[in-house]
Amino acid sequence: MAAGATRPRPVASSVPAAEAPPLPELSEERKVDLAELLRAPQPDDAATVELLLNPTPDSAGAVTAMMETARAGPPRYDCFISTGVAPAFAFSAFRHRNAEGGFQYDVRLTPTESSRVGTNSFCAQLKCSADCTRYTLCDDPSNFYSYPRELGAVFVGGAGLGNRISVLVPRVLPSGAAAQFRVLRPEDGIISRFLAGQAREHIMTLSGMWTSKEGGTVELTLGGEGTAASQRRTVFRATQSSSTLSLQYSSPLSCFQAFCIALSLVHHAQHRRRPSSEPRRAYGSGGRPSPRP
């Protein structure tokens, strides 16, 4: 991408959704890993966090998951992973207002919120801009690296983008190691650095088109401007059905990144600014008008 661009320029998949090749099937070894770790009695176990936040290995194939809207209680979305036996719980995201006038989602490894230090204290975040077009993926500050990290960013719609989506994630090497975005100042963030034309060699871009239609499918393709069509591949797919989003994702995405991309799509559909004459509709709620926040 050209340095100095004011926004990432997404490139829609050149393959129509109906003709897109399927993502590779999840390997049996990975199914066992997922099933064993997600059944662990201690959800804050370092191995579980590592499994859910680290990039999916190339050899693992595609992970099938789902995101469901909680039917009772405060606004909450739950993520489950298919392990070949039964869906295994991975994350819950709880929506809150933030100091900047927008929203944030606290992402936890349990379906209930807890302020306790220690057990079940893991809390990553998805931070949403006030205009619902930019989303930042933040690791739990009390992470293995002992400094705040950003794990990606999502642009949905907004001026000049229309219905296009761009996703920025830290570059993943063939070894599985990922670039680290240590954020100690606002200008250190992945969005700020990208828009300033910095650190682009350490960023991978995904792109596609979004829809809020019932039964609609969103696909994201790895590769940006300058990437040959033969080198692009679908790494994320989300299909809406009533209050559920069916997800598929593969390398270089992690479960956390895939879940946050899905959350961004839902939040954008529910809360984006629109003419007052246009009703709000909830992506992931059967197309019914959603209550105003």
Side-chain angles (χ1 to χ4, degrees):
M1 294 187 180
T6 57
R7 280 184 179 268
R9 298 293 300 170
V11 181
S13 171
S14 59
V15 182
E19 302 176 11
L23 277 69
E25 185 178 354
L26 182 65
S27 68
E28 291 301 320
E29 179 182 357
R30 189 67 170 179
K31 287 180 182 178
V32 172
D33 289 344
L34 289 168
E36 291 296 324
L37 283 173
L38 295 178
R39 283 201 300 263
Q42 174 49 271
D44 274 349
D45 180 76
T48 304
V49 174
E50 180 180 347
L51 178 84
L52 295 175
L53 267 68
N54 282 358
T56 301
D58 275 325
S59 60
V63 179
T64 298
M66 70 179 76
M67 187 178 87
E68 294 185 340
T69 305
R71 298 182 180 276
R76 189 185 92 234
Y77 298 90
D78 300 325
C79 179
F80 299 87
I81 295 177
S82 174
T83 62
V85 180
F89 173 82
F91 294 113
S92 280
F94 301 84
R95 191 177 72 221
H96 300 283
R97 282 279 189 181
N98 61 30
E100 290 73 35
F103 292 90
Q104 69 183 41
Y105 290 84
D106 291 346
V107 181
R108 296 184 177 273
L109 297 173
T110 60
T112 57
E113 288 196 278
S114 172
S115 59
R116 293 177 295 170
V117 176
T119 303
N120 301 337
S121 61
F122 174 88
C123 185
Q125 289 184 332
L126 175 68
K127 297 182 178 179
C128 317
S129 65
D131 66 355
C132 305
T133 62
R134 296 184 182 185
Y135 302 84
T136 306
L137 288 60
C138 303
D139 190 7
D140 181 351
S142 302
N143 58 52
F144 172 81
Y145 299 92
S146 300
Y147 53 74
R149 292 194 307 160
E150 288 186 2
L151 301 177
V154 181
F155 293 75
V156 187
L161 284 181
N163 286 346
R164 291 174 291 182
I165 308 166
S166 280
V167 177
L168 311 177
V169 295
R171 182 167 296 281
V172 179
L173 300 177
S175 65
Q180 301 296 310
F181 281 83
R182 179 179 179 178
V183 182
L184 300 178
R185 305 166 300 172
E187 56 266 33
D188 295 334
I190 191 168
I191 290 179
S192 296
R193 299 192 70 183
F194 183 88
L195 296 183
Q198 302 171 355
R200 294 193 175 187
E201 69 275 18
H202 300 302
I203 296 174
M204 305 176 85
T205 61
L206 314 180
S207 53
M209 308 292 287
W210 82 277
T211 176
S212 60
K213 294 180 180 179
E214 172 73 14
T217 295
V218 173
E219 290 189 347
L220 296 178
T221 302
L222 178 64
E225 288 182 349
T227 303
S230 61
Q231 296 179 328
R232 297 179 193 146
R233 59 184 176 91
T234 300
V235 297
F236 174 90
R237 183 175 292 137
T239 302
Q240 180 195 7
S241 177
S242 187
S243 60
T244 299
L245 281 183
S246 298
L247 307 175
Q248 273 190 305
Y249 65 90
S250 62
S251 174
L253 294 177
S254 67
C255 180
F256 174 73
Q257 289 169 328
F259 183 41
C260 285
I261 293 171
L263 279 173
S264 301
L265 296 173
V266 169
H267 186 87
H268 180 75
Q270 291 180 341
H271 300 282
R272 65 191 173 98
R273 293 175 180 174
R274 65 185 72 211
S276 58
S277 60
E278 183 182 350
R280 287 177 179 263
R281 296 191 178 275
Y283 189 72
S285 63
R288 297 183 299 275
S290 64
R292 294 183 178 272

